[in-house]
Structures are given as C-alpha cells and as structure tokens.
Amino acid sequence: MLDRLPLLIGLRYVRAKRRNHFISFISLTSMLGLMLGVAVLILVLSVMNGFDHELRTRILGMVPHAKIESRTGLVEWEALAEQLTQRERVIGAAPYIQQQGMFSVAGRNEGAMVNGIHPEWEDRVSIIGQHMRQGSLDDLVPGEWNVVLGSMLARHLGVGVGDRVTLLVPEASITPAGVFPRLKRFTVSGIFSVGADLDANLAYANLEDMQTLARLGDAVGGLRLELDDLFAAASETRAIVNELGPGYRGVDWTFSHGNLFQAIQMEKRMIGLLLTVIIAVAAFNIVSTLVMVVTDKHADIAILRTIGATPRSIMGIFMVQGMAIGVIGIAVGVGLGILLALTISDLIGWVESALGIQFLDAGVYFISDLPSRLHWEDVRNIVAAAFGLTFLSTLYPAWRAARVQPAEVLRYE
C-alpha cells in the first residue's frame, strides 16, 4: 500500500478543490502554458518542414541539382549523358541552352531566363511537365518557335496561349544598316505554374530553336543532372568534373539556392529554440504551484510522516502531482498541435477566401500558399523536451516537502 501511496495521493491532490483559489489559478496557467507551447511548437516546426519540402520539390525540382558545361559547348552531348547516367548517384540527364533575354509585347517588357530544352529529355531532370496549366512541352516543336511561359510572366506581359511575343537577347547583330539587338518572335504555346518565383522569370523554348538563336550549331550549353541525393550535389559535381578533365566545369544548386535553404534551416532551429523557452517558462510555473501546495499541505505531510511515510514517498507525492499537471497540458497540446499542423493549409486558404487577401505573395516569397508537413520525429522530440522540463520543475518543491519536520508542524496544530 505504501508503494502506491505517492501515486494515489498525488493524483488526488490534482483533482481536489483547494481552499486557496490562487494555487488553482497558477496550476491552470501552468497547464495552459504547456498546452499552448507544445501546440505552437508542433505547428511552427511543421510549417517550417513544409517550407523545406516545398523548396526541395518545387524550386529544386525546376532548378537542376547540377550542371556540367564546357567552355566550347557540348557537341556529343548524348554520349556524355549516357556516360554520366551510368554513375551511381546520377538518375537523369538532359541537354539545355540558357539565354537571358527580355520579352516584349504591346509596350510591356519583362526580363526572363529562357531555357532551350529537349521536350523528350526534360522530364528526366525537371518537374515542369507536371505543372503545365495550359499546353504541353510536346508543343515545343523545332522550327515553330514556340515558347512556354511562367504564369506570372505571362500575366505581367498580358499574353495567353496563341499570342505572339518578341524575345530580345543581349547580343548585337551587325548589319549594313547598323548594329541592332538580336530578336525573335515566338508564339506562346503553353503556361506553367509551380507556385514559386520561377513563375515570374522563367521560360522554355525548343533546344534546336535556341541553338539557332544563339548560333551554336549542333552544340548545347551543357547537361542538367538529377541526383538521388541533392545534398550530395557538390561532391558529385566535383567528382564528375575531375573525371572529365580540363575544359569542363560544374555548378550545383547550392550556388543559386543554397542560401535560401540554409536560411530556412537556421530559422527552424532558432524558432524551435525560442518556442522551447516558452515551454520551459510554462513548465517552471509548476515550481511555484507546487511550492504553494507544499506550504498549504504542511499538516498533511506531517501526518503522513507520523504514520510511516518516508521522505522518498512524500517527495514522490508532489512529483506525481507536478507530472500529472504536465502530462495533461502536454497531451492536450500535442493533440491540438497535430490537428493544426494537419489543417493549417486549408484553414489559411479558407481565411484568404473569406477575407479576400493573400498572406504569401509568390512575387515576394518563393511560394504562394502556406505549406505544412508533420514529422513524427519532431513531435517525439517536443514531447520528450516538455516531459524533461516538467520533471525538472518538480524536483525542488518535492525535495522541500520531503524536508518538512513533523514535530515542528504539529506543534502548532
């Protein structure tokens, strides 16, 4: 019976109505603080995981993991692509020609990066084919001078499928009449949207058309590579360049978007640390609750000691009470946090529709909606940290209760 004494009395103290309502208020505040801290931490980390996932799947699905280029251009690119795809980490390769330019139509001008691609090869290294709103990459037929525009770029230009746009490239053509910029009329054959800033500054044209425009002959600008592990892009790119020898150079995704990815990871760590402090504050509120309970229960402690309860049992009573407060707060917080993490995207979408506003503008941020991705590992770590802080907060009050001397207390009762 004495072995079960701490559990039985500790749980009874949690349920009992107290004469001192202030103690009940502090106890409730501690429980609510733990609940909100755990719920918010789960929600925020899930949103950060969502941003991280969107970065990998959307932006890095459009941006090549690695690019292999030659100073003189690649002519025998098919043989090189076959050679590189034999490597263990390379799962796809596709040729490209990249050309900066400016689209112009009816007095509206927008700068963009135009990628010359081979429609049959592009799916090996890019998700562009999965995000076509109108048209298809198969419409990029050689000699027809078609172009696929990002949705925001098309909106800024005020064009749609079937409209004509003029591309000006920053290379001059010398004619008997003087020096003129090189330009070419394209027909818009498709529009894509990935919900990122790439929609505003990216366009696709046929590889052979871009070879003609750039006057490269049969050469291409390089090969885009898809790897099985994007974090191995830097080391794999160096290994490929070293294997190919002089005249080749490699560029991986960390040069163009590495800072964005590192910023998201840093923000996740810092936000997690700050919100853990909120949980710590709520957990250590239990200290003040238990200290006041110990003071209020001096007579009960003295009576328990006189009938044979050991200091260890007394300590266990108040540790059970503090942990019970923590368990309730953490359990409710975990449930609320998981619910919010799984529904926050729909909830924000409903609020945007109801209020007619947009919280994330793709022109400012790299996505246009709020993503959320729940990782059970994060939930486990949060629960472990909350339990650990709650346990630590019970030690001092429980130790004080175990030090109560029955004779001194009962002398005045």
Side-chain angles (χ1 to χ4, degrees):
M1 181 65 183
L2 290 177
D3 292 337
R4 299 175 58 194
L5 185 68
L7 180 62
L8 294 175
I9 298 180
L11 294 178
R12 183 172 181 177
Y13 278 174
V14 174
R15 298 192 304 267
K17 294 182 179 180
R18 298 186 178 86
R19 294 171 305 219
N20 190 337
H21 296 289
F22 183 68
I23 298 177
S24 299
F25 174 76
I26 296 297
S27 177
L28 180 62
T29 301
S30 303
M31 194 180 298
L32 291 176
L34 278 171
M35 179 191 72
L36 292 176
V38 169
V40 171
L41 186 52
I42 291 174
L43 173 61
V44 170
L45 291 186
S46 297
V47 171
M48 297 304 295
N49 291 333
F51 274 97
D52 176 73
H53 181 261
E54 292 299 319
L55 172 64
R56 297 191 193 188
T57 57
R58 291 195 184 190
I59 295 195
L60 295 183
M62 298 287 290
V63 174
H65 292 175
K67 295 190 294 186
I68 302 300
E69 301 173 344
S70 173
R71 297 172 185 173
T72 58
L74 298 177
V75 178
E76 302 293 335
W77 59 266
E78 293 189 44
L80 181 59
E82 181 68 23
Q83 175 186 341
L84 295 181
T85 51
Q86 299 301 315
R87 300 180 64 90
E88 181 179 357
R89 290 199 173 276
V90 180
I91 59 178
Y96 75 94
I97 295 175
Q98 204 165 58
Q99 178 70 65
Q100 287 185 334
M102 182 175 67
F103 286 102
S104 178
V105 56
R108 291 184 292 270
N109 303 304
E110 291 289 337
M113 180 68 71
V114 184
N115 283 340
I117 62 171
H118 196 301
E120 297 179 2
W121 289 61
E122 188 63 16
D123 286 342
R124 304 179 186 183
V125 298
S126 172
I127 62 172
I128 176 64
Q130 305 169 22
H131 293 272
M132 295 295 298
R133 280 191 177 179
Q134 295 176 268
S136 168
L137 292 182
D138 295 332
D139 297 330
L140 299 178
V141 179
E144 294 191 4
W145 297 95
N146 291 332
V147 65
V148 172
L149 302 179
S151 58
M152 294 181 65
L153 178 60
R155 186 166 66 249
H156 293 162
L157 291 171
V159 298
V161 173
D163 292 334
R164 304 272 288 176
V165 295
T166 301
L167 175 64
L168 292 84
V169 297
E171 294 182 10
S173 298
I174 301 177
T175 69
V179 179
F180 293 92
R182 191 180 305 172
L183 51 87
K184 182 63 182 179
R185 296 275 286 176
F186 283 84
T187 301
V188 179
S189 63
I191 295 175
F192 70 87
S193 175
V194 293
D197 58 351
L198 298 175
D199 294 340
N201 53 36
L202 192 60
Y204 290 91
N206 184 270
L207 183 71
E208 295 184 19
D209 291 344
M210 293 304 295
Q211 285 176 325
T212 301
L213 185 63
R215 298 176 181 175
L216 292 177
D218 294 330
V220 299
L223 289 176
R224 302 168 64 192
L225 304 181
E226 178 86 4
L227 306 179
D228 61 351
D229 181 6
L230 63 91
F231 294 106
S235 59
E236 185 67 13
T237 302
R238 287 194 298 269
I240 291 174
V241 171
N242 291 335
E243 180 181 300
L244 294 177
Y248 292 90
R249 72 184 188 95
V251 180
D252 62 85
W253 67 272
T254 59
F255 284 90
S256 57
H257 291 82
N259 290 338
L260 180 59
F261 181 81
Q262 292 172 3
I264 291 177
Q265 293 297 309
M266 178 63 71
E267 288 175 3
K268 180 181 177 181
R269 287 192 290 268
M270 294 306 298
I271 290 176
L273 178 61
L274 292 175
L275 293 179
T276 302
V277 173
I278 296 177
I279 296 177
V281 171
F284 284 110
N285 276 342
I286 297 176
V287 175
S288 59
T289 301
L290 293 182
V291 166
M292 287 187 287
V293 171
V294 169
T295 303
D296 190 53
K297 299 295 184 181
H298 266 189
D300 294 357
I301 295 170
I303 293 172
L304 288 171
R305 289 294 306 277
T306 58
I307 63 175
T310 63
R312 181 176 180 180
S313 297
I314 299 299
M315 191 172 181
I317 290 171
F318 293 96
M319 290 181 68
V320 167
Q321 182 182 358
M323 289 301 296
I325 295 173
V327 166
I328 295 172
I330 293 169
V332 177
V334 168
L336 180 61
I338 291 175
L339 178 63
L340 289 174
L342 295 176
T343 61
I344 188 64
S345 298
D346 295 333
L347 181 61
I348 293 298
W350 179 83
V351 172
E352 289 179 339
S353 299
L355 301 181
I357 60 175
Q358 186 174 13
F359 291 109
L360 295 177
D361 185 356
V364 178
Y365 305 97
F366 70 92
I367 59 173
S368 57
D369 54 356
L370 186 67
S372 178
R373 195 172 183 84
L374 182 66
H375 288 177
W376 293 109
E377 181 181 358
D378 289 338
V379 176
R380 185 182 68 243
N381 293 337
I382 292 168
V383 170
F387 269 116
L389 292 171
T390 302
F391 176 77
L392 291 175
S393 68
T394 65
L395 294 179
Y396 173 71
W399 175 76
R400 283 194 56 177
R403 285 172 56 93
V404 170
Q405 299 299 323
E408 294 182 5
V409 174
L410 296 177
R411 181 183 308 168
Y412 303 102
E413 291 293 331

